[in-house]
Amino acid sequence: MKTRILYNRIAVLREERGISRKELAEKIGVNFQTVGYLERCEYNPSLDLAFKISEYFNLPIEFIFSTKPMKHMSQEILELKTAKDR
Amino acid sequence: MKTRILYNRIAVLREERGISRKELAEKIGVNFQTVGYLERCEYNPSLDLAFKISEYFNLPIEFIFSTKPMKHMSQEILELKTAKDR
DNA sequence: ATATATTGTTGTAATATTACAATAAATATA
DNA sequence: TATATTTATTGTAATATTACAACAATATAT
């Protein structure tokens, strides 16, 4: 199957939690370099690994990964706030 | 990474739509035998393939795939209906 | 009953993912 | 500055996924 590039928010989410790739890698049970590959979108995770990341951040897979480039979370917040008072 | 078994509802969802593995395979762009492997949980899909299946059925990945054995949809409906009148 | 389509199974090959090592570059911290 | 930590990059090997072929078993339809 010709694999599409998938986009993700791993780097920002990791930053929010203030943890290093090494720490995240340990939590989800992969090599720390694998986290690097994922953050740079050099390859896609398996569904199993996506679930582990989703469980660690306690966020749905669709919030972390997307087939289309992701909006910045900051932007998304502002849009949601604006939508509220219409 | 030691891969966990992931469970899925592909067979029932496909049945609901009344389509064969071959048809589903064509829609999501994989070999029809790959659908068989997935339905029998003989291996997990890539995240990319999970997204394609999710897009085809128009359902979130978490509704189709799970790390724990899935409740039957029939059962889930009844529980939701019961929860409503408490 | 006999075609036809669908599913299950086995095996091999190609591609994608993950692991791991080694080293350089960049960042933070003492 | 010097030291330690984190990140980036490259290369090789192991494992997992997908493709594909071939055939048997079931089910559907004519």
Side-chain angles (χ1 to χ4, degrees):
Chain A
M1 190 185 59
K2 174 174 52 61
T3 305
R4 293 177 291 186
I5 291 170
L6 297 182
Y7 303 88
N8 71 74
R9 284 171 165 160
I10 298 174
V12 232
L13 294 173
R14 183 170 61 72
E15 193 65 22
E16 277 193 337
R17 265 79 171 176
I19 61 171
S20 69
R21 288 183 179 169
K22 194 156 170 294
E23 288 176 283
L24 174 58
E26 281 158 11
K27 295 295 187 181
I28 61 182
V30 294
N31 192 276
F32 83 98
Q33 281 141 325
T34 298
V35 175
Y37 282 111
L38 295 177
E39 291 190 355
R40 282 176 255 121
C41 294
E42 288 189 26
Y43 54 56
N44 299 329
S46 62
L47 181 56
D48 189 18
L49 181 49
F51 262 114
K52 283 183 184 151
I53 296 168
S54 160
E55 287 157 6
Y56 173 76
F57 286 120
N58 201 32
L59 292 168
I61 289 179
E62 281 89 350
F63 185 83
I64 307 177
F65 298 95
S66 169
T67 57
K68 296 191 294 294
M70 307 194 90
K71 211 169 281 182
H72 290 158
M73 293 199 292
S74 51
Q75 186 59 31
E76 195 156 322
I77 289 169
L78 287 185
E79 287 178 13
L80 287 166
K81 284 194 170 163
T82 308
K84 273 189 105 153
D85 46 57
R86 97 251 45 73
Chain B
M1 190 186 57
K2 174 173 54 58
T3 306
R4 295 178 289 188
I5 291 170
L6 296 182
Y7 303 89
N8 70 74
R9 283 172 165 158
I10 298 175
V12 233
L13 293 173
R14 184 170 61 72
E15 192 66 22
E16 278 192 338
R17 265 78 171 176
I19 61 170
S20 69
R21 289 182 180 170
K22 193 156 169 297
E23 287 176 283
L24 174 57
E26 280 158 11
K27 295 295 186 180
I28 61 182
V30 294
N31 192 276
F32 83 99
Q33 281 142 324
T34 298
V35 175
Y37 282 111
L38 294 177
E39 291 191 355
R40 284 176 254 121
C41 294
E42 288 189 26
Y43 54 56
N44 298 330
S46 62
L47 181 55
D48 189 19
L49 180 49
F51 262 114
K52 282 182 183 150
I53 295 169
S54 160
E55 285 157 7
Y56 174 76
F57 286 120
N58 202 32
L59 291 168
I61 289 180
E62 281 91 348
F63 185 84
I64 307 177
F65 299 95
S66 170
T67 58
K68 295 189 296 295
M70 307 195 89
K71 213 170 280 182
H72 289 157
M73 291 199 292
S74 51
Q75 185 60 31
E76 196 157 320
I77 290 169
L78 288 184
E79 287 178 12
L80 287 165
K81 285 193 169 162
T82 308
K84 274 191 105 152
D85 46 56
R86 94 243 60 66

